[in-house]
Amino acid sequence: MTQHSPTRRNILFTGTQTLSAAGLMAMMGSSAASAYQGSDNPAQDVQLLNAAIALEHEGIAAYTIAAGSGLLTPDVTEIGVRFRGHHREHRDALASAVTALGGTPVETESEAHYVEALGVASLANQADVLRLALGLETGAANAYLGLIPSLSTAEQHQLAAQMAGDEAYHAAILGHALGEPIPVAGMMFGG
Amino acid sequence: MSEHRKQTFIGLVAAIMVIGMTMPVAQARQVTETLVGDMERGERLYRQRCMACHALDANRAGPSHRGVFGREAGAVDGYRYSGALRDSGIIWTAETLDSWLSNPTGLVPGTSMGVRTRNAQDRADIISYLESLSPAEPD
């Protein structure tokens, strides 16, 4: 629900116009609906976008679990909470696209599911948590880039590219925190 | 040049052009089929690309992968597959995995898996790594 054009952003944040709640919802709806335009296979797109939502659910859960683990310093916790906010925005944008396509966004799993699936029991310190997060973010950036050619519309391509950009940003921050060297070769993601 | 020789010459040129246009495609296909996978590189690629959604021994956004070679598609216990993949009848081999990783929705329309791996050598390396994994422990 955060896919606003510059025009919309101006309307929302400059305070030069008043926007009713109904008007805001209509604008968000039209933004999500744009993801449907031109899709010649909405059922397929729903399947793919729901898989992306499942990935975002897991990312949100991972940062929530990490924040409550007691393994992170306050500064690192703050960064993780910020990243979790980004993943929530991703989830909401993807859910809007799925709804506009006539589908139902996939629900999140229980925290216990994510604790087991992510192998949280093996995490012993902050570096372990950061390495897990780096792996998830790197994988997510690659996944979104690999997903683009399978999606139907330009709007969906752009949405996936936006997600990939955010995930790559997260990965860069996490890699820096772990002291990882800057890659020598370019074209670091996708392929 | 006589008419007969002229036609022969034109036919020869056309044949050379046809061969020239088709050879790269045939060679490219052959190279793809004979690529040798690098297991170690495949493990690294698996961690960088596949582990956003998959793990070897746990179902996440995607199903677990240990023992995938030789397994029927859609057969991991506890994972909610799309009906399309569950009913596909595919057995995972090097060939089917290569098609799958290249274009999952092309191989199985309606699947939830949409991530494409464009580079043939990358696919061969990932497949080599998956093939190296021992089958899942029985419950």
Side-chain angles (χ1 to χ4, degrees), chain A residues 44 47-49 51 143 146-147 150, chain B residues 49-50 53-54 61-63 65 79 82 85 92 97 100-117:
Chain A
Q44 177 69 83
Q47 287 286 105
L48 301 179
L49 294 170
L147 181 62
S150 295
Chain B
R49 299 188 186 175
C50 308
C53 299
H54 296 275
H65 274 155
Y79 183 76
S82 64
L85 188 60
W92 293 124
L97 282 169
W100 174 251
L101 293 175
S102 175
N103 183 359
T105 55
L107 182 66
V108 184
T111 179
S112 301
M113 160 74 168
V115 177
R116 300 187 190 188
T117 302

Side-chain angles (χ1 to χ4, degrees), chain A residues 8-128:
Chain A
R8 288 175 187 152
R9 187 177 295 119
N10 291 341
I11 293 170
L12 286 169
F13 295 112
T14 57
T16 56
Q17 297 186 32
T18 302
L19 195 60
S20 69
L24 182 63
M25 290 304 292
M27 288 171 63
M28 288 178 165
S30 69
S31 176
S34 68
Y36 176 72
Q37 290 171 359
S39 175
D40 55 2
N41 196 348
Q44 177 69 83
D45 289 331
V46 165
Q47 287 286 105
L48 301 179
L49 294 170
N50 258 335
I53 292 174
L55 182 153
E56 295 294 343
H57 281 319
E58 188 183 71
I60 293 163
Y63 283 114
T64 299
I65 293 165
S69 69
L71 297 173
L72 306 181
T73 64
D75 286 352
V76 171
T77 301
E78 188 178 342
I79 292 169
V81 169
R82 181 71 59 87
F83 287 0
R84 181 179 63 184
H86 300 159
H87 286 289
R88 284 175 171 161
E89 290 185 41
H90 297 175
R91 174 202 61 195
D92 293 344
L94 291 163
S96 293
V98 166
T99 302
L101 287 161
T104 303
V106 68
E107 298 284 341
T108 190
E109 303 277 359
S110 69
E111 185 168 299
H113 166 83
Y114 294 118
V115 166
E116 182 177 351
L118 294 169
V120 171
S122 67
L123 304 176
N125 52 49
Q126 179 164 284
D128 287 347

